[in-house]
C-alpha cells in the first residue's frame, strides 16, 4: 500500500480494515465446510488475525507439497496439520526423519514464543496430545517393527534400493517371475539370494534359458548386490510378520484419527532404503483400498518426508509408476504430502498433481539457489506479491500458501504466519516411547520376527535330497529333469502365501511397482 492511499476504516480489534487486494485474498479462504486452520494472512508486514488462512478438509486427498529451506519450520507445519486432521477423525502417517515428531502424543508446553504466536494469528492455544502409534523399519529404533516380504516388495522397488540399472531391473523382474511360477516363496533376502544362486549354479543354468534369456553375468551382478546389501545390515527390513498397512487407517476410541509415526532416525544414514520403503507402504495401500471418489474427509493423509530421495536417480519406469500411483490413490481417499526443500525436487508430472502448497522460505546464496527460487515462483498462480522477494524474506514459521477451494479451484496466494502446534514440539523421552510401544495393541502381532519355510529352506532341502548318481546307463539329455523340476514334481511346494487365490504354477498378481497383492 502506497503512502498516498487513504487508511481504510478500522477493522476488528481496532486494526485498520484490509485493503481491497488483501480482502480478495482473505475471501478466497472463507470456506463454509470443515477446514484446517493454517494461520493468518501477512499483509504489508503485519499479521492480520481477522484474515484466517485455511484448507478445506474435503480437498486433502488432492495431495500437497510442504517445501522450504532447512530450519524454516517444515516439521512444525507437518505437526500442525497432523494434529488438526487427527482432531477431525482422519488417520495420519508421518515419516519422522529427525526423530522429533514423537512429541505429538504429548501436550505442548506454553512459553512466551507460543503465546506471542497464538496472539498474532488469533489462535486460542491450549496444550493437547493426540493418539499416536510408533513404528520403526525392521524394528531398528523405537517402534513396532515394520517389515515387508521380498515377494510383496517386488522387483521394481527392490531394484531402486539395490541401485540396479534398467537392464538389471528387468532381469530381476524375470527372477521374480521364475520364483512365482515355480512356487518358490520369497520372504526374506536369503530366499531371493538362494533363487539367484541356484539360477547361476551349474544345475540351474539351464533354467535361465527358459525365462527370457537372463544372462548369467547379470544374475551374478544381482547376487553380488544382494550380498552387499545384506552385509550392510539391511536384512532386518525384509521378513515376517509382514506389516498390514490397514493398521494405519485406525481411529481412537474417542473418534480421533491415530497418528502413525514411523521413526527413521536410526536409519537416516540409509536414505534410499527408507524412501523406497515409504513408497512400498503407499503402493500397498493403493492395492488394498476400494474406490470411494470424493468424500467428506480423507481416509488417510500420508506425509512423505525427504521426498527428493525417492526421485534421485530413478528410472523412467519407476517415475511413471510413482506418477500413476499418486494420480489414482486420490480416488481411494488417500492424500499424499511430499516434503522437501524446493518444488524442483519433485518431477513435473507429480508436482502437477499437488494442489495444496505450503512453501516456507528459500535461500538464494548461489546461482543454483536463484534458479531454484525462480522455478518455485513459476509454480504458483499469479498474485499481488513479489514472490521472489517474499520467499527470501519469510521468517521461521511463515509460508506462502495456496490450496484448492471447496470447488477445486486454486485459492489466491497468501503469505501466512502459521499457527503453533498444540502438542509437544520435540521428542519424548526414549524410555517413555518404548513404554508406549510395548503397550500398543499391535506390539504382540508384529514384535517377534518369524522365519518359516520358504525358498531358501526348500531349495536347500531339495539339494540335500538329491539322490546320488547311479551306475545305470544315463538317459538322453532331453529326458533328464532339472533340479527344480524334481523339486516341483516332489510335491514339496504349496501355493505362495501371498498369491491371490492362485494354485502352484500360477504367477502372483503384481501391481504398477511389481509389488504383490497380499491376502489379508
Amino acid at each position: 500500500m502506497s503512502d498516498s492511499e487513504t487508511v481504510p476504516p478500522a477493522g476488528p480489534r481496532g486494526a485498520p480494515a484490509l485493503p481491497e487486494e488483501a480482502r480478495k485474498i482473505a475471501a478466497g479462504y472463507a470456506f463454509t465446510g470443515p477446514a484446517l486452520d493454517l494461520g493468518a494472512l501477512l499483509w504489508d508486514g503485519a499479521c492480520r488475525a481477522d484474515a484466517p488462512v485455511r484448507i478445506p478438509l474435503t480437498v486433502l486427498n488432492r495431495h500437497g507439497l510442504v517445501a522450504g529451506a532447512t530450519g524454516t519450520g517444515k516439521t512444525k507445519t507437518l505437526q500442525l496439520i497432523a494434529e488438526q486432521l487427527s482432531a477431525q477423525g482422519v488417520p495420519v502417517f508421518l515419516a519422522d526423519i529427525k526423530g522429533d515428531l514423537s512429541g505429538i502424543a504429548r501436550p505442548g508446553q506454553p512459553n512466551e514464543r507460543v503465546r506471542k504466536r497464538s496472539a498474532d494469528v488469533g489462535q486460542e492455544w491450549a496444550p493437547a496430545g493426540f493418539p499416536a502409534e510408533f513404528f520403526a523399519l525392521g524394528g531398528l529404533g523405537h517402534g513396532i517393527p515394520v517389515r515387508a516380504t521380498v515377494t510383496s516388495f517386488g522387483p521394481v522397488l527392490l531394484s531402486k534400493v539395490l541401485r540396479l540399472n534398467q537392464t538389471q531391473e528387468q532381469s530381476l523382474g524375470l527372477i521374480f517371475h521364475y520364483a512365482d511360477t515355480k512356487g518358490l516363496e520369497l520372504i526374506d533376502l536369503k530366499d531371493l539370494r538362494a533363487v539367484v544362486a541356484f539360477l547361476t549354479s551349474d544345475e540351474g543354468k539351464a533354467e535361465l534359458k527358459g525365462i527370457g534369456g537372463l544372462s548369467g553375468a547379470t544374475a551374478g551382478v544381482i547376487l553380488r548386490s544382494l550380498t552387499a546389501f545384506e552385509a550392510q545390515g539391511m536384512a532386518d527390513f525384509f521378513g515376517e510378520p509382514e506389516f498390514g498397512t490397514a493398521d494405519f487407517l485406525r481411529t481412537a476410541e474417542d473418534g480421533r484419527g491415530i497418528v502413525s509415526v514411523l521413526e527413521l532416525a536410526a536409519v537416516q544414514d540409509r536414505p534410499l532404503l527408507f524412501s523406497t520403503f515409504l513408497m512400498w507402504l503407499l503402493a500397498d495401500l493403493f492395492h488394498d483400498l476400494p474406490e470411494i471418489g470424493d468424500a467428506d474427509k480423507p481416509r488417510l493423509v500420508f506425509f512423505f518426508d525427504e521426498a527428493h530421495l525417492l526421485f534421485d536417480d530413478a528410472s523412467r519406469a519407476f517415475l511413471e509408476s510413482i506418477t500413476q500411483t499418486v494420480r489414482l490413490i486420490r480416488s481411494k481417499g488417500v492424500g499424499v504430502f511430499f516434503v522437501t526443500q524446493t518444488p524442483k525436487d519433485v518431477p513435473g508430472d507429480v508436482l502437477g498433481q499437488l494442489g495444496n502448497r505450503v512453501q516456507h522460505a528459500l535461500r538464494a546464496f548461489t546461482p543454483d539457489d536463484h534458479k531454484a527460487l525462480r522455478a518455485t515462483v513459476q509454480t504458483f498462480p499469479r498474485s499481488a506479491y513479489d514472490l521472489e522477494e517474499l520467499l527470501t524474506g519469510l521468517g521461521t514459521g511463515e509460508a506462502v500458501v495456496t490450496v484448492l477451494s471447496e470447488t477445486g479451484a486454486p485459492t489466491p496466494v497468501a503469505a501466512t504466519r502459521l499457527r503453533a502446534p498444540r502438542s509437544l514440539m520435540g521428542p519424548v523421552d526414549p524410555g517413555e516411547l518404548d513404554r508406549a510401544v510395548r503397550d500398543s495393541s499391535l506390539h504382540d502381532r508384529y514384535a517377534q520376527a518369524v522365519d518359516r519355510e520358504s525358498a531358501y529352506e526348500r531349495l536347500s532341502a531339495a539339494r540335500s535330497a538329491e539322490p546320488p548318481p547311479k551306475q545305470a546307463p544315463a538317459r538322453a539329455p532331453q529326458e533328464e529333469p532339472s533340479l527344480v523340476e524334481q523339486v516341483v514334481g516332489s510335491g514339496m511346494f504349496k501355493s505362495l502365501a501371498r498369491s491371490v487365490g492362485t494354485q502352484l504354477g500360477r504367477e502372483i498378481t503384481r501391481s504398477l511397482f511389481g509389488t504383490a497383492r497380499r491376502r489379508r
Side-chain angles (χ1 to χ4, degrees), residues 346-362:
V346 181
D349 288 344
V350 177
L351 188 63
Q353 299 177 56
L354 311 183
N356 304 301
R357 309 281 183 89
V358 180
Q359 176 67 58
H360 288 266
L362 292 174

Side-chain angles (χ1 to χ4, degrees), residues 307-346:
H308 67 281
L309 298 170
L310 184 68
F311 304 111
D312 289 347
D313 301 321
S315 69
R316 181 182 180 88
F318 187 82
L319 292 177
E320 288 174 351
S321 298
I322 292 175
T323 302
Q324 194 165 356
T325 301
V326 172
R327 180 185 298 121
L328 298 177
I329 204 169
R330 178 189 68 80
S331 63
K332 300 193 175 192
V334 177
V336 183
F337 275 70
F338 291 96
V339 185
T340 189
Q341 294 203 2
T342 73
K344 74 179 184 63
D345 293 335
V346 181

